[in-house]
Amino acid sequence: MPAATRRSTAPNPSTEPIESADDANVDERVYAAVSKALLSGKLRPGTPLRERALAEALGCTRGAVRKVLARLGSEKRLVLEHNRGAFVPNPSIEDMRGIYRARRIVEAGLVTTLFGTLARDQVAALRKHVQAEQKAFKEGRREDAIRLAGDFHLLLAQMAGSDELLSYIRRLIANTELYKALYDSAEAASCAPREHEQIIEALMGDSLDAALAVALEHLDELEQRVIAGAAAEQEVDLAALLNGDAPARSHGHDHSH
């Protein structure tokens, strides 16, 4: 009876079987849980994600986990290896530099497109989003703060009115969100809301050159912190390999598995 009631009162009734809706809900729940774990910074580069363990932890089937891992792999949030499974990415520094280079090029075009064109309701939406970022940081919700920081740039891309641009930027941000989770310090999350507010002000300002400088400096500083964190972690891993121990890493993550 409850299921029938839900179907009859739903605002957008579907002709698909109720089991499909339930399966979709499970998929989204598993997707959200694994994504949150990735953005927590506690899963280190190269960590395997085992279907059986995830299914048991999340109370779902291995099939549901498999679909979600494939989805995260297509988004470049996980590395999928044939006959081996899914792993947290372990990108090279050159790989990361390439992604940030692409973001700078694309977002320079985005700033140029949006400069001087934002409507009042768009500015209000951007500022409301920055407030949500600030709240997540103050409450210590690190993974939410990282996700919201990426979503700010997606919101800008939506305002440009190009689905193709939005799709490409979404893929780039999926990569850089993970880099930030893996290698940036927790304290640095406080920088994003302030820098995003500066980007909003610059987009409403008098100088396109100044707006470009603010937006690109934001990406430059993030890249520098992430690259420094990655380099420090690689040095630690080498020391552990040579000395047979693993001293604490310097960028402040909890490394328990």
Side-chain angles (χ1 to χ4, degrees):
M1 180 64 71
T5 302
R6 284 197 299 272
R7 285 198 296 273
S8 63
T9 59
N12 294 304
S14 172
T15 58
E16 293 184 0
I18 191 64
E19 289 79 14
S20 297
D22 289 344
D23 288 347
N25 291 337
V26 170
D27 290 349
E28 289 306 312
R29 178 173 63 82
V30 174
Y31 177 84
V34 178
S35 296
K36 184 174 182 178
L38 287 169
L39 294 184
S40 73
K42 296 179 181 180
L43 295 174
R44 304 313 308 150
T47 300
L49 300 183
R50 305 300 187 199
E51 288 181 9
R52 183 187 302 276
L54 287 173
E56 291 176 355
L58 297 172
C60 64
T61 66
R62 292 180 65 177
V65 169
R66 191 174 302 118
K67 283 195 291 184
V68 167
L69 295 181
R71 176 179 170 184
L72 289 165
S74 70
E75 295 173 355
K76 309 300 182 184
R77 295 175 187 262
L78 291 177
V79 173
L80 305 181
E81 296 187 9
H82 184 61
N83 290 332
R84 293 195 65 225
F87 298 83
V88 177
N90 189 13
S92 70
I93 287 177
E94 189 54 40
D95 287 340
M96 290 189 289
R97 290 194 186 283
I99 294 295
Y100 280 109
R101 188 179 306 120
R103 273 199 66 178
R104 279 194 296 273
I105 293 169
V106 172
E107 294 201 32
L110 182 59
V111 167
T112 301
T113 300
L114 295 178
F115 178 76
T117 70
L118 292 177
R120 290 178 62 181
D121 61 328
Q122 291 176 315
V123 173
L126 289 168
R127 287 185 167 148
K128 183 177 180 180
H129 187 91
V130 170
Q131 290 172 356
E133 292 183 57
Q134 292 170 332
K135 187 172 187 290
F137 173 72
K138 289 178 181 177
E139 293 176 356
R141 294 181 284 116
R142 185 173 188 270
E143 54 269 31
D144 289 338
I146 291 174
R147 176 182 54 79
L148 287 166
D151 286 350
F152 173 83
H153 295 269
L154 292 179
L155 186 55
L156 288 175
Q158 288 174 347
M159 292 176 180
S162 168
D163 291 341
E164 290 79 7
L165 175 65
L166 179 61
S167 177
Y168 184 56
I169 289 184
R170 180 175 283 115
R171 184 170 69 82
L172 294 176
I173 288 174
N175 283 274
T176 54
E177 280 180 347
L178 185 59
Y179 301 160
K180 183 176 177 65
L182 291 172
Y183 301 121
D184 202 6
S185 67
E187 295 76 14
S190 64
C191 300
R194 182 177 66 253
E195 292 170 3
H196 289 165
E197 183 64 42
Q198 291 170 351
I199 290 173
I200 297 170
E201 294 299 325
L203 286 170
M204 300 167 58
D206 300 324
S207 169
L208 174 58
D209 287 344
L212 286 168
V214 169
L216 296 181
E217 182 180 6
H218 171 59
L219 290 176
D220 288 344
E221 291 181 357
L222 177 56
E223 178 184 3
Q224 289 169 11
R225 293 198 310 268
V226 165
I227 296 299
E233 177 149 321
Q234 289 179 7
E235 290 172 4
V236 166
D237 289 344
L238 178 59
L241 177 66
L242 296 176
N243 299 325
D245 58 12
R249 293 177 174 88
S250 61
H251 55 287
H253 291 305
D254 173 6
H255 303 286
S256 59
H257 297 308

